[in-house]
Amino acid sequence: MTHVLLIRLAGPLQSWGTASRFAARRDSHSRPSKSAVIGMCAAALGLPRSMGLEMPKQPTETDEPGKVPAFGELARTVFGVRADHPGTPVRDYHTVGAGTYPLRPRDLITDHRRAAAVAASLDTATGDRFGHHTLTGWYGAPKKIAADPHSGVLISGELTRSALITERWYLADATFLVGLQHESDSFLETVRQALEHPRRLLWLGRKSCPPSGTLGLRVVPGDLDTAFRTHRLLPVAHDDTDPTRRPWAWFQVPPTERGATPVQDQPVSFDALRPEHTTRWETRRRITIDADAAQWKDIIL
């Protein structure tokens, strides 16, 4: 028999990237990815990013009770998500670096190139103020750090830096009901408790998007479809939506399932330098919530 851990993901902003680690345009998926949710659960459990994702053996009666689950147990859960409140896409036009910035005395002492660039200004300077000596196009994160051949001090290998312009997308005021299906209810309960008392900071896709309110809701018997049909829409503040509407839901399925589409978010490694993902398959359909579906109680919004 399988069980399902129900997780509430809600916050002012969410951003679920599936295309690339970093690019000039950082899109957000329309819903949480499996990789992001598994990573969040692993962070809540305090598991190191370097831990392998090898698939563990099936649990037996001789296994040590209460043992912290490996990444592999999380990775092999069957994933589903119901979009109770899909949210609104929000675009952030983001710029970093470049422009004109006042030079400091240490900039001239440690970097002979900057000193040469403003030599004329220094020769004609009067008064006791230093801040009016400027250099255009050097402000920003230093790149290609190396020792200066004259002073021996570590400096940037690039004297000028172009502005980094990015377009970042978020989901505003979205609320999702995520399900993780697994054979062991005790394993899922361990994860649920960790989400409510995490050992590391959690966020909704990016570090600028903290979750709000309750995360780990409950562990219920059955499969994902049953769990989504037998629970009402998650409540939100100032909710004026129809409680009987049919939300979209996505279910992880075998690749042979009719209508299955590929998604590149099955985690293989969370290594900070070389994260790796592979393909899983999913289907999408609307959910008709049962008339006697369970109500949500004691949820912190």
Side-chain angles (χ1 to χ4, degrees):
M1 182 179 182
T2 61
H3 297 77
V4 176
L5 167 61
L6 295 176
I7 303 171
R8 172 183 173 271
L9 297 182
L13 291 176
Q14 306 182 31
S15 187
W16 308 103
T18 58
S20 63
R21 188 178 181 186
F22 186 83
R25 177 185 172 96
R26 303 190 71 179
D27 291 322
S28 173
H29 207 27
S30 62
R31 58 195 182 277
S33 64
K34 181 177 182 180
S35 175
V37 173
I38 297 305
M40 177 185 294
C41 294
L45 290 163
L47 301 179
R49 295 179 68 100
S50 58
M51 181 175 287
L53 275 166
E54 65 277 359
M55 295 299 183
K57 62 181 178 63
Q58 293 291 332
T60 65
E61 295 181 356
T62 59
D63 285 344
E64 181 182 349
K67 185 178 180 181
V68 176
F71 264 140
E73 285 290 351
L74 291 168
R76 74 181 186 88
T77 56
V78 180
F79 178 77
V81 56
R82 191 181 76 182
D84 287 11
H85 306 277
T88 304
V90 175
R91 173 178 174 267
D92 175 28
Y93 179 77
H94 197 90
T95 63
V96 177
T100 300
Y101 199 77
L103 287 171
R104 301 164 296 178
R106 71 177 301 273
D107 296 323
L108 306 183
I109 296 172
T110 60
D111 193 338
H112 68 282
R113 301 165 305 166
R114 291 175 184 161
V118 295
S121 174
L122 291 173
D123 290 341
T124 59
T126 59
D128 57 358
R129 298 185 61 187
F130 190 86
H132 66 278
H133 302 291
T134 61
L135 186 62
T136 300
W138 74 268
Y139 179 60
K143 305 290 184 180
K144 302 177 183 177
I145 303 299
D148 183 274
H150 293 71
S151 65
V153 178
L154 293 178
I155 60 172
S156 170
E158 297 178 348
L159 181 61
T160 60
R161 303 161 198 162
S162 300
L164 178 62
I165 301 175
T166 61
E167 184 179 344
R168 308 186 183 195
W169 286 88
Y170 300 86
L171 293 176
D173 301 323
T175 302
F176 298 96
L177 180 65
V178 170
L180 295 179
Q181 180 179 309
H182 193 273
E183 301 87 1
S184 173
D185 58 342
S186 60
F187 163 69
L188 295 177
E189 180 60 26
T190 299
V191 178
R192 189 199 69 79
Q193 293 181 15
L195 288 170
E196 289 303 295
H197 306 280
R199 299 182 63 181
R200 294 180 181 168
L201 294 177
L202 308 180
W203 50 81
L204 303 178
R206 294 185 195 159
K207 293 181 180 179
S208 59
C209 305
S212 65
T214 305
L215 274 78
L217 296 172
R218 61 185 62 158
V219 176
V220 297
D223 57 14
L224 288 168
D225 181 73
T226 302
F228 286 169
R229 285 189 296 101
T230 57
H231 287 84
R232 295 195 181 278
L233 297 177
L234 287 166
V236 295
H238 311 295
D239 185 15
D240 57 356
T241 58
D242 181 3
T244 63
R245 66 182 175 84
R246 302 171 64 221
W248 284 106
W250 292 261
F251 299 87
Q252 182 176 345
V253 296
T256 55
E257 182 92 5
R258 182 180 178 85
T261 57
V263 184
Q264 195 75 12
D265 71 346
Q266 175 67 38
V268 175
S269 170
F270 284 116
D271 187 273
L273 298 179
R274 298 184 62 183
E276 186 178 352
H277 304 83
T278 189
T279 304
R280 67 177 180 89
W281 298 79
E282 68 177 13
T283 57
R284 184 186 76 156
R285 63 177 180 271
R286 287 194 179 274
I287 298 296
T288 301
I289 298 176
D290 294 349
D292 58 347
Q295 297 279 2
W296 298 106
K297 298 180 180 179
D298 302 324
I299 290 182
I300 300 175
L301 300 181

